[in-house]
């Protein structure tokens, strides 16, 4: 008899991403969840791009410049 178990691989960070967007939906109670998701992920991408721009390479070493926006 063969086993019917399916092995799924969940990408690293997916659980955290879903927890964050779920909490934001609960906190904001939007009328249009699909639109809220789109705006949430656009803001997240913008935040990540700005964060990456804060890193500078000096003498082959990574130096972190701390200037975070909180939204």
């Amino acid at each position: 008899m063969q086993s019917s178990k399916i092995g799924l691989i969940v990408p690293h960070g997916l659980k955290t991403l879903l927890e964050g967007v779920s909490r934001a939906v609960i906190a904001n109670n939007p009328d249009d969840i699909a639109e809220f998701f789109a705006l949430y992920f656009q803001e997240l991408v913008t935040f990540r791009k700005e964060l990456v721009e804060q890193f500078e390479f000096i003498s082959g070493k990574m130096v972190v410049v701390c200037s975070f926006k909180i939204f």
Side-chain angles (χ1 to χ4, degrees):
M1 195 175 225
Q2 292 183 347
S3 175
S4 62
K5 291 184 182 179
I6 298 174
L8 297 177
I9 298 173
V10 177
H12 178 75
L14 180 60
K15 179 181 176 189
T16 304
L17 181 68
L18 293 176
E19 286 176 353
V21 73
S22 297
R23 289 174 194 244
V25 167
I26 292 169
N28 291 282
N29 195 24
D31 291 330
D32 186 347
I33 293 178
E35 181 182 9
F36 183 84
F37 278 11
L39 293 172
Y40 180 89
F41 289 118
Q42 285 174 353
E43 286 292 321
L44 183 60
V45 168
T46 301
F47 174 75
R48 289 189 62 180
K49 284 181 181 177
E50 290 174 2
L51 185 62
V52 168
E53 292 172 0
Q54 301 300 317
F55 288 94
E56 296 176 5
F57 291 93
I58 301 173
S59 302
K61 295 181 181 179
M62 186 179 291
V63 176
V64 180
V65 179
C66 295
S67 63
F68 297 96
K69 292 181 180 178
I70 298 179
F71 60 95

